């Protein structure tokens, strides 16, 4: 029987044989992991979107002269400008002054952190589920992400 | 044009980018970058910074739904991320060693070839047996999803896992080298080599691209290339579009997604070949 199974078109993954109990448990585990990871992504997205929108409103209300002026766009966008915070310390000091640009950037940082947090959370879930292959796999991916941040060189 | 109308117009264009990106498992950079540079005359570096944001927004915005609906094969995605992230780092390091023009031509040709193969896939799909793969068995990558378009559960087996991993390494390297095209290579690799159903391929690619992009986002941020007023409407628009797309994908047919993907793949391929020879 085993010798015949050279090819398989996928008809027996969820078969009703003796393996089905183990498979059901496997699916339940996957389902639980999926709910948690989906929640992490959803919360990250909603949080980041809300913060970004608040930041845009604060910027426009705070400096209507700059941002609603006809030429504002040229000064700000046509060339690479560094008027906005692009280091963590600048962002946090801007946040303490309720500065619109800093709030937007903070929202974007939440967005950037979401996939990385997702990898970390999946590593924790797999650890709880004692998955001997996927714990090292997810931890490895997390470490590569951390390394790429430290090296500051990885591309898109 | 003032800032307010710029933000509003960009937002609506990015809804479309998010919609397309979430359906096809690609980042939406192919829409965001040309729109920013050609229509709004934004500096190319800021446009690329915004496209990184768009990739992450597409990925997280749609994956929340795809993961929950079990359209994403998370085990396949997480396993392949090992190769895409390592590939991205390698790519960033060898970037100076190879001519960008040559790379554009090479990958333009590869994408055109993938498009042709995927188009042919219309006529041979599903009937062909899936070769057995010990690694896929061991990692328990085989899965099933409920297809709302066909109103039935589709069970599938994953194959050629090692070859898929190799292709993902290349895909990661290309995105490290050129800053683009990660999803455009991931989807054909999963569809053609690993034999995942089309929607599972795009949903799983969508799941993975955010991680690859996040790896490089810190760099763009530190260099000051993520401008809040360019990135904010991009992030918001793409998120809204991606959430919309994630509602649509389960109900669309695999064949339709494949056709749409082939068309977009050809466009990207032409875009790359043009950059290579121009």
């Amino acid at each position: 029987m085993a010798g015949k199974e050279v090819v398989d078109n996928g008809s027996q993954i969820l078969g009703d044989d003796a393996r089905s109990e183990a498979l059901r448990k496997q699916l339940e585990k996957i389902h639980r992991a999926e709910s948690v990871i989906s929640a992490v992504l959803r919360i990250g997205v909603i949080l980041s979107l809300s913060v970004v929108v608040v930041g845009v409103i604060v910027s426009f209300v705070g400096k209507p002269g700059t941002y609603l002026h006809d030429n504002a766009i040229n000064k700000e966008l046509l060339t690479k400008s560094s008027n906005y915070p692009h280091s963590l310390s600048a962002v946090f000091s801007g946040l303490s002054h309720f500065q619109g640009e800093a709030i937007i950037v903070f929202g974007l940082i939440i967005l950037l952190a979401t996939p990385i947090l997702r990898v970390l959370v999946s590593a924790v879930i797999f650890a709880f589920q004692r998955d001997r292959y996927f714990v090292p796999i997810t931890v490895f991916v997390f470490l590569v992400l951390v390394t790429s941040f430290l090296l500051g060189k990885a591309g898109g | 044009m003032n800032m307010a109308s710029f933000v509003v117009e960009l937002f609506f264009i990015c809804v479309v980018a998010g919609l397309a990106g979430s359906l096809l498992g690609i980042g939406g950079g192919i829409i965001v970058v040309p729109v920013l540079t050609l229509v709004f005359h934004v500096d190319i570096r800021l446009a690329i910074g915004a496209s990184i944001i768009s990739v992450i927004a597409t990925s997280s915005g749609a994956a929340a739904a795809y993961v929950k609906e079990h359209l994403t094969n998370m085990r396949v995605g997480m396993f392949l991320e090992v190769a895409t992230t390592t590939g991205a780092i390698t790519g960033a390091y060898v970037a100076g060693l190879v001519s960008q023009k040559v790379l554009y031509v090479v990958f333009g040709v590869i994408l055109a070839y993938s498009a042709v193969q995927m188009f042919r896939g219309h006529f041979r799909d599903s009937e062909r047996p899936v070769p057995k793969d010990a690694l896929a068995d061991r990692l328990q990558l085989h899965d099933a999803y409920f297809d709302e378009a066909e109103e039935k559960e589709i069970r599938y087996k994953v194959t050629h896992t090692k070859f898929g991993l190799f292709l993902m390494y290349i895909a990661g390297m290309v995105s490290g080298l050129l800053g683009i095209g990660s999803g455009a290579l991931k989807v054909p690799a999963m569809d053609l080599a690993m034999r995942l159903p089309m929607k599972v391929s795009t949903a799983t690619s969508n799941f993975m691209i955010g991680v690859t992009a996040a790896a490089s986002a810190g760099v763009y941020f530190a260099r000051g290339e993520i401008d809040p007023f360019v990135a904010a409407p991009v992030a918001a628009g793409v998120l809204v579009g991606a959430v919309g797309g994630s509602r649509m994908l389960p109900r669309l047919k695999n064949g339709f997604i494949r056709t749409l993907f082939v068309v977009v793949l050809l466009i990207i391929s032409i875009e790359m070949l043009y950059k290579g020879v121009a």
Side-chain angles (χ1 to χ4, degrees):
Chain A
M1 190 64 191
K4 277 184 185 173
E5 275 190 16
V6 183
V7 292
D8 189 323
N9 40 21
S11 55
Q12 34 171 261
I13 316 166
L14 302 172
D16 295 328
D17 56 329
R19 294 182 306 163
S20 68
E21 178 61 17
L23 280 163
R24 200 183 52 78
K25 277 192 179 156
Q26 169 72 10
L27 284 176
E28 224 166 68
K29 271 186 182 179
I30 292 179
H31 186 73
R32 241 174 289 149
E34 282 170 345
S35 309
V36 176
I37 287 168
S38 172
V40 168
L41 293 170
R42 186 160 286 136
I43 292 167
V45 160
I46 292 171
L47 206 61
S48 118
L49 187 59
S50 327
V51 175
V52 164
V53 169
V54 169
V56 170
I57 293 168
V58 170
S59 309
F60 277 40
V61 172
K63 294 183 195 167
T66 315
Y67 292 132
L68 300 176
H69 187 274
D70 271 358
N71 295 323
I73 190 167
N74 297 326
K75 273 183 278 167
E76 292 289 324
L77 296 172
L78 292 189
T79 53
K80 194 180 138 187
S81 68
S82 312
N83 303 333
Y84 46 89
H86 54 269
S87 71
L88 283 181
S89 55
V91 171
F92 287 116
S93 93
L95 281 181
S96 65
H97 295 98
F98 207 62
Q99 193 197 338
E101 291 89 335
I103 299 174
I104 298 177
V105 174
F106 183 63
L108 296 172
I109 291 175
I110 297 174
L111 187 68
L112 302 185
T114 303
I116 300 169
L117 187 68
R118 187 269 281 169
V119 174
L120 192 63
V121 168
S122 24
V124 174
I125 295 171
F126 286 126
F128 269 112
Q129 298 185 344
R130 298 178 197 283
D131 192 313
R132 66 186 165 130
Y133 294 112
F134 276 82
V135 173
I137 285 171
T138 41
V139 168
F140 177 83
V141 172
F142 182 71
L143 292 178
V144 172
L145 286 175
V146 172
T147 312
S148 76
F149 258 96
L150 296 179
L151 295 173
K153 283 201 76 165
Chain B
M1 178 191 283
N2 67 31
M3 200 67 141
S5 51
F6 167 78
V7 167
V8 171
E9 280 177 35
L10 188 55
F11 171 85
F12 284 108
I13 292 172
C14 286
V15 171
V16 179
L19 195 69
S22 61
L23 290 179
L24 302 179
I26 55 176
I30 45 152
I31 297 179
V32 171
V33 174
V35 163
L36 282 173
T37 53
L38 301 177
V39 180
F40 294 108
H41 307 288
V42 168
D43 186 288
I44 178 75
R45 287 163 299 180
L46 299 184
I48 291 173
S51 95
I52 295 284
I53 292 287
S54 123
V55 174
I56 301 175
T58 309
S59 177
S60 300
Y66 293 157
V67 165
K68 188 140 198 156
E69 279 159 33
H70 203 72
L71 208 50
T72 300
N73 187 324
M74 277 211 314
R75 292 176 82 84
V76 168
M78 287 175 179
F79 176 65
L80 295 177
E81 276 166 8
V82 166
T84 53
T85 49
T86 343
I89 292 195
T90 321
Y93 271 96
V94 298
L97 305 176
V98 254
S99 148
Q100 287 234 328
K101 288 208 163 199
V102 172
L103 282 170
Y104 277 123
V105 172
V106 169
F107 290 108
V109 171
I110 290 177
L111 291 184
Y113 173 79
S114 310
V116 171
Q117 288 300 317
M118 287 183 73
F119 180 70
R120 290 177 54 192
H122 270 305
F123 311 106
R124 58 115 177 91
D125 225 34
S126 69
E127 299 310 314
R128 272 195 324 165
V130 177
K132 224 170 156 41
D133 182 20
L135 185 58
D137 292 343
R138 187 173 308 163
L139 295 172
Q140 296 173 302
L141 300 182
H142 313 303
D143 212 333
Y145 75 99
F146 186 80
D147 195 307
E148 284 181 35
E150 300 193 20
E151 296 180 330
K152 64 173 183 189
E153 186 178 65
I154 309 252
R155 298 166 184 186
Y156 60 91
K157 286 219 160 191
V158 180
T159 188
H160 296 308
T161 311
K162 279 183 201 154
F163 185 52
L165 198 65
F166 167 75
L167 291 176
M168 290 300 160
Y169 180 75
I170 302 290
M173 202 154 92
V174 173
S175 54
L177 283 166
L178 302 178
I180 47 153
S182 51
L185 283 167
K186 284 181 180 111
V187 175
M190 283 188 275
D191 178 67
L192 295 171
M194 302 179 72
R195 301 285 301 275
L196 298 180
M198 188 60 195
K199 288 200 278 190
V200 176
S201 297
T202 65
T204 306
S205 168
N206 179 80
F207 180 73
M208 295 164 65
I209 53 177
V211 161
T212 328
S216 58
V219 186
Y220 290 89
F221 173 66
R223 282 200 226 129
E225 290 173 4
I226 294 180
D227 181 306
F229 292 105
V230 180
V234 169
V238 165
L239 280 176
V240 170
V243 170
S246 69
R247 299 269 152 85
M248 287 164 67
L249 184 65
R251 276 174 276 156
L252 295 171
K253 286 202 185 283
N254 277 318
F256 172 76
I257 294 297
R258 185 191 293 270
T259 308
L260 201 62
F261 190 87
V262 167
V263 171
V264 172
L265 205 55
L266 282 174
I267 295 172
I268 304 174
S269 142
I270 291 165
E271 215 175 295
M272 279 191 159
L273 287 171
Y274 178 77
K275 276 186 190 158
V277 294

